[in-house]
Amino acid sequence: MDIKLSTCFIAVDDHDKALAFYRDVLGMEVRNDVGYEGMRWVTIGSPSQPDVDIVLEPPLADPNASPADKQAMAELMAKGLLRGIIFTTDDCDATFERISAAGGEVLQEPMDQFYGVRDCAFRDPAGNMLRFNQTLAK
């Protein structure tokens, strides 16, 4: 049996700001942009991984959600508590410089970790934590 990741989801509260970050700063390509019942889903992905999609979705993608649930999700998003994602890169320091120069909110500058990676971390415009890992030579 062969199981692979095909799609993951990241909640965003402003798709245009998210696109400016993921497409223009990180270099992701836009693969789909769909609206339904006042909501929007934008599928992006790395050009080097055509079989893996990241869907930028509303924080509570349920048109029947109660106002209280929508408010709770908005509060969790504002605190950066909804999701996180880890990317790999071949040059953590260059990735850090590019994202920080574009105004990315730095959570952690590049550092070597005991488990064999050099990584850094940022928040995207919606507050989600993004880590960028480079495998260290053994």
Side-chain angles (χ1 to χ4, degrees), residues 11-137:
V12 299
D13 54 357
D14 184 323
H15 283 83
D16 293 326
K17 285 182 184 176
L19 274 173
F21 179 79
Y22 285 95
R23 180 192 58 216
D24 303 338
V25 177
L26 298 187
M28 299 286 160
E29 61 188 13
V30 176
R31 298 182 178 161
N32 204 358
D33 192 336
V34 177
Y36 178 72
E37 292 194 18
M39 293 180 282
R40 183 178 179 194
W41 290 263
V42 178
T43 304
I44 60 170
S46 171
S48 65
Q49 286 185 298
D51 57 342
V52 178
D53 292 327
I54 301 168
V55 179
L56 305 175
E57 67 172 349
L60 188 57
D62 179 353
N64 300 313
S66 72
D69 288 345
K70 289 179 182 179
Q71 180 62 35
M73 289 298 285
E75 290 171 5
L76 290 171
M77 175 178 275
K79 294 177 184 178
L81 297 175
L82 288 185
R83 294 188 172 80
I85 193 164
I86 299 174
F87 293 97
T88 60
T89 178
D90 59 357
D91 189 336
C92 180
D93 293 277
T95 299
F96 177 83
E97 292 303 322
R98 186 175 80 217
I99 297 170
S100 59
E105 180 185 343
V106 176
L107 294 177
Q108 175 202 302
E109 293 190 9
M111 64 184 290
D112 293 350
Q113 302 289 356
F114 71 92
Y115 44 89
V117 301
R118 182 168 180 78
D119 72 352
C120 60
F122 291 88
R123 286 208 191 282
D124 74 2
N128 298 297
M129 183 181 67
L130 309 178
R131 298 191 80 78
F132 297 86
N133 289 352
Q134 174 187 350
T135 302
L136 295 173

